[in-house]
Amino acid sequence: AQSVTQPDIHITVSEGASLELRCNYSYGATPYLFWYVQSPGQGLQLLLKYFSGDTLVQGIKGFEAEFKRSQSSFNLRKPSVHWSDAAEYFCAVGAFSGGFKTIFGAGTRLFVKA
Amino acid sequence: ETGVTQTPRHLVMGMTNKKSLKCEQHLGHNAMYWYKQSAKKPLELMFVYSLEERVENNSVPSRFSPECPNSSHLFLHLHTLQPEDSALYLCASSPTPGVNTEAFFGQGTRLTVV
């Protein structure tokens, strides 16, 4: 069965430090992968997506993610975190299994300390 | 402004009440979705509509009744809800209902069932 695992429920980083949020997926075919961000009281906003081609994907707000098929991972990175990046981050996989499904991970809450 | 508007933003209702959530998208998309976001649980897809036709119903209890009168509007009618139905209900739209398409989310309706 398809699934998405985000191992870290929450992460705290200092402003200016680098960030990596982990995501592992389970899917038999080539996945369509997404990272979304949700600020408090808001809906989800797409940061980036991977469908095919270059395995390093650039997104908005300085984020990037790397698809590693051998590890079934799609980790999100940012070289220098800003206080405004504090939010919840969701990894998702688009899959077709008896119908269209987008499966979301449980999310990782990012806290940024000054 | 994401182009997807949900009303109301907050709703408190008793278990015997009947209420409706409204979603409107101004993006010209053909697919619309209802998601349920509960604390500490992954985002759950409830319903998918494509060109006003329901194409996905993920075993949602009948006390939730969706309606899509046209491609721009989506409703979720609620009746005889339970306290465990308290959650953030998110509406989303996408150009098509495919697995490789980005979803645009509204800000959600925070529902509390008392």
Side-chain angles (χ1 to χ4, degrees):
Chain A
Q2 299 85 12
S3 65
V4 178
T5 301
Q6 293 181 248
D8 304 304
I9 297 173
H10 54 81
I11 282 181
T12 301
V13 300
S14 298
E15 191 169 16
S18 63
L19 170 71
E20 183 170 31
L21 301 182
R22 296 182 292 165
C23 173
N24 293 96
Y25 67 89
S26 173
Y27 183 55
T30 300
Y32 298 98
L33 297 163
F34 307 83
W35 273 101
Y36 287 86
V37 61
Q38 185 179 32
S39 298
Q42 302 296 316
L44 279 69
Q45 180 187 18
L46 183 74
L47 285 175
L48 47 79
K49 58 189 177 186
Y50 170 80
F51 294 161
S52 64
D54 193 346
T55 56
L56 185 62
V57 181
Q58 301 298 319
I60 63 171
K61 305 184 181 185
F63 285 93
E64 66 177 26
E66 186 172 12
F67 170 58
K68 292 185 177 180
R69 184 186 301 276
S70 62
Q71 299 177 19
S72 297
S73 69
F74 189 56
N75 293 349
L76 182 71
R77 301 194 294 249
K78 186 170 184 177
S80 178
V81 169
H82 188 262
W83 64 267
S84 60
D85 293 324
E88 188 147 23
Y89 292 80
F90 295 90
C91 181
V93 59
F96 188 85
S97 175
F100 158 75
K101 294 184 187 300
T102 296
I103 301 163
F104 285 83
T108 297
R109 170 76 65 181
L110 174 64
F111 297 94
V112 180
K113 60 182 180 181
Chain B
E1 174 59 52
T2 65
V4 180
T5 304
Q6 290 186 243
T7 55
R9 292 293 308 278
H10 301 272
L11 178 62
V12 180
M13 59 185 289
M15 290 188 284
T16 59
N17 290 159
K18 290 184 179 181
K19 297 287 184 183
S20 295
L21 309 185
K22 179 182 176 182
C23 176
E24 185 173 0
Q25 59 98 0
H26 311 278
L27 302 168
H29 290 168
N30 291 325
M32 296 188 76
Y33 314 81
W34 280 115
Y35 284 89
K36 177 183 179 182
Q37 187 177 32
S38 305
K40 300 181 181 179
K41 291 179 66 176
L43 211 60
E44 300 171 60
L45 178 64
M46 301 175 72
F47 300 103
V48 180
Y49 275 83
S50 175
L51 295 172
E52 301 130 55
E53 179 180 343
R54 190 189 309 179
V55 296
E56 188 87 16
N57 176 355
N58 285 342
S59 303
V60 179
S62 59
R63 57 186 183 269
F64 295 91
S65 174
E67 178 190 2
C68 189
N70 55 63
S71 59
S72 298
H73 294 86
L74 185 65
F75 295 89
L76 188 63
H77 304 298
L78 315 171
H79 64 96
T80 59
L81 294 191
Q82 304 299 311
E84 59 265 28
D85 296 323
S86 298
L88 182 68
Y89 289 85
L90 292 165
C91 174
S93 71
S94 65
T96 64
V99 297
N100 60 345
T101 183
E102 167 191 355
F104 293 77
F105 285 82
Q107 293 178 303
T109 295
R110 173 68 63 187
L111 173 67
T112 304
V113 181
V114 298

